[in-house]
Amino acid sequence: MAAVALPLARLRPWAFPLAVAVVALLAILYTTDGSGVRLSNSQQIGQICAFLVASVGLNLLVGRTGMHSFAQGAFLAIGAYTFVWTQLTWDAPFLVGMLLAALVPALAGVVIAVATTRMRGPQLAMVTLITAVVVYKVLAEWKPFGQFGGYPNTAAHGSSLIEPPSLFGWELQPPLFGGTPATALVPVIVIAALSLLLYRRVAGTGWGLSLSVIKQSELLAAHLGVNVYLRKVAVVSFAAGLAGLGGACYALVFAHLQPESFALMLGVNLIVMVILGGAGTVLGPVIGTAVIVYLQTAPSVAAFVRWENDTISDRWYLSAQGLIAFMMIAVLFAMPAGIVGSAQRLLRRRRPRRAAIAPWHGGEPAAHLVAVAHTSGESAELVVTDVGLAFGGVRAVDGVSITVAPGSIVAVIGPNGAGKSSVVNLISGVYAGQGGSMHLGGTPLRGLPAYRRARLGIARTFQTPILSPELTVVDNVLVGSEQTASMSCAGAVSATRAARRARERDLRDVAAALELVGLTEEAGRTADELSYGQQRLVELARALVSRPRLLVLDEPAAGLNPTEIAALALILERLRDQGLSVLLVEHHMDLVRRIADHVVCMIDGRVAAAADAHTVLSDPLVVSAYLGQGHVAVAGGQHA
Amino acid sequence: MLDQILVGAAIGCLYALIAQGFALTFRTTHTMNFATGEIGAIGAFVALGLAGVGWLPAPAKLAAAAIIVALVGAVVFAVLIRPFVTNDGHDARWLLVTVALSLVAVDLLRNSQGTQHRPLDFARLDGVLSLGFAQVPKQLALLAVVCLALGIAIALLVTRTGLGVRMRAVAEDTETAGLVGIDARRMGMLSYAIGSAAVAVGATLWTGYVGVFPDIGPLLLVPAFAGAVIGGLISVWGALAGGVLYGIAEQLFAHWFGATAGGVIGLVAVVGVLVLRPEGLFARRVEVKV
């Protein structure tokens, strides 16, 4: 057993939870002592906690997945109204009310996600914007919710406050009356603390990493075996559920809901909280939420508005809401990483990151990686028969057949535009293609989406490497492991011992892959610090830790210097010798001649020649395709 | 019910014009201005300010408001939106900026002008136009005719002229368009200017009917955006049809099930269209190459 340690965390594992628990305890002690002087501060703390739960959820969307949603405020509203409704109409137990407050928005989130996630780009933001406006309209205009009388209201419900719900016999009193301890803040603060810990845990799992990959490139995510569509639905719904929980907390704090609190501005404020604090960081939402809630209520803002009136104009000035919106513009221009993000960058510059992984000490790494792949037992022969692909009227691929036997390297060569990359894209599942058949180890591939093919064991690299520039080499390789593809949202939340062991195994694979491609020394650097050649090797390592049965490489030597090409040849030979099937699209004939067991030359979408390297490279048809007709006449096909 | 359909169609023409502004800027720059409603509000307030200039005929006042707002639109694009125009489809910072801008603009307008509705005392027709089988207020008829005429003019400009071709070239591939001498920034500013001017004219005529107030933005944004999505976001003709359809649906649903239903139908329609036909009702599907 080789000594592969867990990644060296910068903190002890219990340090962060302990700090959160201490802060939460202090907040509870401060808010529940019942003195009237602290009421407004207690309300502020309760409000911060309620919004924090929602902004933590939004951070998963905006920071991790790169999906901007304005509907988080609307989901919060739905959760709040659901909670109050359960209390008013059937006096539901507290925990049932909380559960429904999370579930109803989560379901609404599924609907929104299903409608938008198939589209790329800003569509989600646009549709959530409409959602926010419409939900506000319904809350403000629909009679059962009391319109602008609020919910509950004296006219319809006899009181403008909900009855304090009880938890384990405890009355949960809102922070509204002096002399009564604000017990409702206990669950609110605990939920906020738990949501923070939950975010931190989820972000570190394979599921959380897969969200970063989706943000980087949905194409890449699919080729790592991630069902992008389902995962986006899951994360939108998860975030909406957290928003709903935050809404229930909000209802606990104020015991009354006014529709004006849930206008579009709330959704905007939540986004500002996340971005101002630092999207994608654990503590960002805490800072952002505290700052915004403070700005909305602090006397200093009123003083600032007075200053505006005195010095600029008593008509043309910005009040609190306008100032927050203005701040959002300023942050996007001047500090896109947010407060916490910018601070982290400064710290990292001063203290460079240490390698996050123990180096490999387990013999031949190629043997480790490929042996793992072959435990499945079956043969990994790729058989492509007579496939075609047409773009409009252009036949890019026309009746191409290729077979890659286990333990062999097959190279596809051909002039630019011959359809080589299209063949790779047909095999990995980017295009559906027309006609023919494709099998990997006897399993038909036709009709399977890219992520299913990746799970069957097809791993590939891209012509231009797709890496997350801000992640370390280790993390960039780790996303190739199986957990990224197959871990469920529930699995990420519960984090079982089995999952932890799987992660240790994955890190072992990463160490082996880095050793194989010779990047052990660079493990702790971020991807944007690497040379182009090294970036391509990171992609190769990422493809290998997925335990592939077939490795598909799209021009792996392009942009590499001769030393790097020689190293690449060696790596591929070692993998081949362990029994891996490799399909390679390449222009470097030296590399092809050296390592390819079989060469297929494509011209104009068809296979022009297929045999061993020497035969194909001296075929007059191939030579003329590469060098033109004249060359053949002069050199008589002697030289390839 | 025919009255409702007519009123819906008339207001729908306003939505259609704004939706077309969305489609115009989206196809040129892959961005759109979510402060469009506030752009309209600014236009209406500029028009209100010009109301006192007695010697200027009403159409000239409208045109002046349109030109001022066109400049505002172009500047908004150049200063606030263009820095965030990237090839990354996930990058929605331009959207955040324009939404924030709309909130800043509303705040400024409320603080400086007050929230009350003020009558616009020019560009107004009083009374009701009777078509025999149905009736529609004359102001709405005027709104419909002007918006439709402007919308058709813009659609023709985009699809039939060299300028439109250059805009499409920028949309297709900014770099290549730059290589053949098309200034992407200028094309973007131009599309924003045209879109904003059209919105200003439409919104001002509409405030002739409902009065001038700072919060008209949200009332216009959702229907116009819904119209644009229904029409397909990049199709200027589709946006025109989508906006009118939305206006009619909104009026009918409000008539049958109450005002709230009239507002909700927009979300339902947008979600329905996105699920069943993501490219919109009137746009062709585009093949994406890897």
Side-chain angles (χ1 to χ4, degrees):
Chain A
M1 182 75 196
V4 174
L6 276 168
L8 306 166
R10 274 171 299 164
L11 296 167
R12 300 270 166 219
W14 41 261
F16 184 78
L18 183 72
V20 170
V22 168
V23 172
L25 196 68
L26 287 179
I28 288 173
L29 288 178
Y30 180 84
T31 50
T32 51
D33 86 328
S35 80
V37 227
R38 293 182 179 172
L39 272 186
S40 81
N41 280 348
S42 299
Q43 283 172 19
Q44 249 181 18
I45 290 175
Q47 207 178 347
I48 289 174
C49 288
F51 287 151
L52 178 59
V53 180
S55 62
V56 162
L58 189 61
N59 197 16
L60 265 184
L61 271 186
V62 174
R64 287 278 147 184
T65 329
M67 301 165 82
H68 292 87
S69 165
F70 286 101
Q72 197 73 348
F75 291 137
L76 187 146
I78 295 175
Y81 275 82
T82 306
F83 180 77
V84 172
W85 177 77
T86 62
Q87 300 300 307
L88 285 180
T89 31
W90 40 288
D91 201 15
F94 172 73
L95 289 176
V96 175
M98 292 303 263
L99 192 68
L100 281 176
L103 276 181
V104 174
L107 287 177
V110 170
V111 174
I112 298 294
V114 165
T116 52
T117 46
R118 239 181 311 175
M119 320 182 67
R120 267 185 64 81
Q123 274 85 356
L124 179 78
M126 299 174 185
V127 172
T128 54
L129 189 84
I130 300 188
T131 311
V133 174
V134 169
V135 165
Y136 167 67
K137 210 175 163 77
V138 171
L139 295 179
E141 290 176 6
W142 207 31
K143 279 231 170 58
F145 289 145
Q147 292 163 326
F148 287 100
Y151 188 62
N153 58 61
T154 335
H157 309 98
S159 161
S160 65
L161 299 176
I162 54 168
E163 283 289 305
S166 71
L167 175 66
F168 308 128
W170 255 25
E171 289 244 306
L172 299 177
Q173 291 285 355
L176 297 176
F177 315 104
T180 321
T183 40
L185 286 179
V186 177
V188 170
I189 292 171
V190 168
I191 288 174
L194 286 180
S195 69
L196 208 56
L197 296 180
L198 183 73
Y199 174 88
R200 189 164 180 267
R201 159 178 287 177
V202 165
T205 61
W207 191 80
L209 265 185
S210 76
L211 301 181
S212 309
V213 179
I214 289 175
K215 179 182 185 181
Q216 180 67 24
S217 159
E218 290 183 14
L219 180 76
L220 171 63
H223 280 92
L224 296 178
V226 176
N227 185 341
V228 175
Y229 177 65
L230 268 189
R231 197 138 308 180
K232 281 162 97 178
V233 172
V235 70
V236 171
S237 170
F238 188 60
L242 278 175
L245 216 50
C249 291
Y250 184 92
L252 275 176
V253 174
F254 293 102
H256 174 84
L257 305 173
Q258 275 301 125
E260 306 91 288
S261 332
F262 306 104
L264 171 63
M265 193 65 211
L266 177 60
V268 176
N269 282 349
L270 284 167
I271 292 191
V272 182
M273 290 171 191
V274 170
I275 293 181
L276 173 71
T281 63
V282 178
L283 287 178
V286 183
I287 308 282
T289 308
V291 169
I292 297 297
V293 171
Y294 178 76
L295 282 184
Q296 279 173 321
T297 46
S300 52
V301 174
F304 184 78
V305 170
R306 268 199 306 281
W307 174 84
E308 280 185 282
N309 290 342
D310 292 343
T311 50
I312 303 170
S313 156
D314 54 0
R315 287 181 69 198
W316 296 96
Y317 65 93
L318 288 174
S319 30
Q321 286 303 309
L323 284 173
I324 290 174
F326 183 77
M327 204 161 68
M328 170 133 127
I329 299 178
V331 167
L332 283 170
F333 270 93
M335 200 168 58
I339 296 172
V340 176
S342 302
Q344 277 180 349
R345 266 183 209 178
L346 275 179
L347 278 179
R348 205 171 299 157
R349 205 170 295 159
R350 204 168 292 169
R351 183 177 48 136
R353 259 212 218 180
R354 299 169 59 187
I357 196 167
W360 171 255
H361 292 295
E364 166 67 0
H368 172 76
L369 290 165
V370 178
V372 171
H374 278 218
T375 45
S376 50
E378 341 151 29
S379 135
E381 189 176 43
L382 174 77
V383 184
V384 176
T385 321
D386 199 24
V387 294
L389 176 68
F391 293 113
V394 184
R395 292 204 63 84
V397 177
D398 196 357
V400 167
S401 302
I402 294 173
T403 300
V404 185
S408 71
I409 297 178
V410 174
V412 179
I413 63 169
N416 288 327
K420 305 184 299 293
S421 286
S422 295
V423 168
V424 167
N425 286 334
L426 278 173
I427 292 171
S428 77
V430 178
Y431 303 134
Q434 299 96 28
S437 69
M438 278 184 280
H439 291 84
L440 179 70
T443 317
L445 299 178
R446 170 115 301 156
L448 294 184
Y451 78 92
R452 294 277 301 276
R453 298 188 192 194
R455 290 180 185 186
L456 278 176
I458 299 180
R460 69 167 288 186
T461 64
F462 298 88
Q463 254 180 42
T464 32
I466 309 177
L467 299 173
S468 302
E470 77 279 9
L471 290 186
T472 60
V473 169
V474 170
D475 281 344
N476 264 304
V477 177
L478 190 61
V479 298
S481 69
E482 196 198 340
Q483 281 208 71
T484 313
S486 57
M487 183 182 254
S488 70
C489 181
V493 171
S494 59
T496 58
R497 177 172 293 189
R500 216 164 26 241
R501 244 184 264 128
R503 191 179 174 81
E504 278 171 43
R505 263 203 317 276
D506 289 344
L507 285 169
R508 221 171 112 75
D509 292 350
V510 170
L514 287 179
E515 179 67 29
L516 178 69
V517 301
L519 285 179
T520 305
E521 297 291 309
E522 323 294 335
R525 300 173 72 172
T526 52
D528 54 1
E529 296 172 320
L530 300 183
S531 74
Y532 185 74
Q534 288 172 325
Q535 290 185 12
R536 306 217 67 156
L537 291 175
V538 172
E539 267 216 320
L540 178 60
R542 180 178 64 203
L544 288 175
V545 296
S546 69
R547 308 166 181 201
R549 296 156 72 195
L550 170 71
L551 183 62
V552 182
L553 305 172
D554 196 354
E555 301 194 14
L560 267 56
N561 65 37
T563 326
E564 289 170 326
I565 293 179
L568 177 70
L570 214 60
I571 295 167
L572 294 181
E573 278 169 349
R574 278 160 81 182
L575 289 167
R576 186 246 328 258
D577 293 344
Q578 297 299 330
L580 189 65
S581 322
V582 180
L583 180 69
L584 167 80
V585 169
E586 196 43 79
H587 274 307
H588 283 260
M589 291 311 148
D590 294 343
L591 180 68
V592 170
R593 204 192 297 272
R594 174 167 165 193
I595 64 171
D597 301 297
H598 187 79
V599 174
V600 176
C601 178
M602 286 182 66
I603 297 171
D604 294 337
R606 295 167 195 269
V607 174
D612 63 278
H614 181 75
T615 316
V616 170
L617 291 182
S618 47
D619 187 321
L621 197 62
V622 175
V623 175
S624 70
Y626 265 96
L627 300 175
Q629 215 61 50
H631 179 86
V632 182
V634 173
Q638 293 296 307
H639 182 75
Chain B
M1 201 175 86
L2 270 176
D3 287 358
Q4 261 80 34
I5 293 182
L6 270 185
V7 169
I11 296 179
C13 289
L14 171 64
Y15 299 159
L17 184 64
I18 305 175
Q20 208 182 28
F22 277 143
L24 178 67
T25 59
F26 195 73
R27 54 186 271 150
T28 314
T29 64
H30 296 293
T31 63
M32 45 181 135
N33 185 2
F34 275 80
T36 288
E38 283 65 35
I39 292 282
I42 292 172
F45 275 105
V46 170
L48 192 66
L50 290 172
V53 189
W55 48 270
L56 213 56
K61 286 178 188 166
L62 265 183
I67 289 169
I68 292 171
V69 171
L71 289 176
V72 172
V75 169
V76 164
F77 173 73
V79 176
L80 290 178
I81 299 176
R82 175 142 166 98
F84 298 119
V85 175
T86 59
N87 285 328
D88 180 6
H90 269 319
D91 193 345
R93 287 175 302 173
W94 57 266
L95 202 160
L96 303 182
V97 167
T98 56
V99 170
L101 176 71
S102 80
L103 295 167
V104 170
V106 167
D107 199 41
L108 274 178
L109 284 175
R110 279 190 197 154
N111 290 340
S112 61
Q113 311 296 328
T115 50
Q116 74 279 23
H117 292 223
R118 287 193 272 173
L120 183 73
D121 47 16
F122 68 96
R124 263 173 72 180
L125 299 174
D126 294 320
V128 172
L129 183 68
S130 181
L131 295 173
F133 57 93
Q135 294 181 326
V136 62
K138 275 188 185 160
Q139 179 71 18
L140 286 185
L142 173 71
L143 177 73
V145 170
V146 172
C147 287
L148 216 54
L150 278 176
I152 291 172
I154 290 176
L156 289 177
L157 174 81
V158 169
T159 52
R160 298 288 163 84
T161 66
L163 184 68
V165 171
R166 287 203 289 280
M167 284 182 175
R168 226 177 318 154
V170 171
E172 202 73 41
D173 188 336
T174 313
E175 256 172 55
T176 313
L179 289 178
V180 296
I182 302 173
D183 183 345
R185 192 173 75 118
R186 195 177 297 165
M187 283 300 136
M189 286 172 72
L190 195 62
S191 67
Y192 269 85
I194 295 172
S196 304
V199 172
V201 172
T204 305
L205 286 175
W206 186 55
T207 53
Y209 185 63
V210 295
V212 184
F213 57 104
D215 291 283
I216 62 173
L219 301 176
L220 297 180
L221 175 72
V222 172
F225 175 69
V229 170
I230 292 168
L233 269 183
I234 53 161
S235 154
V236 280
W237 292 109
L240 216 51
V244 175
L245 275 181
Y246 181 92
I248 296 172
E250 183 191 36
Q251 284 295 319
L252 282 181
F253 272 75
H255 176 61
W256 288 330
F257 307 109
T260 315
V264 173
I265 182 66
L267 178 67
V268 176
V270 167
V271 169
V273 167
L274 286 181
V275 170
L276 301 175
R277 211 180 138 81
E279 69 276 19
L281 295 183
F282 307 103
R284 254 179 304 145
R285 195 187 288 270
V286 188
E287 282 276 352
V288 183
K289 268 196 83 172
V290 179

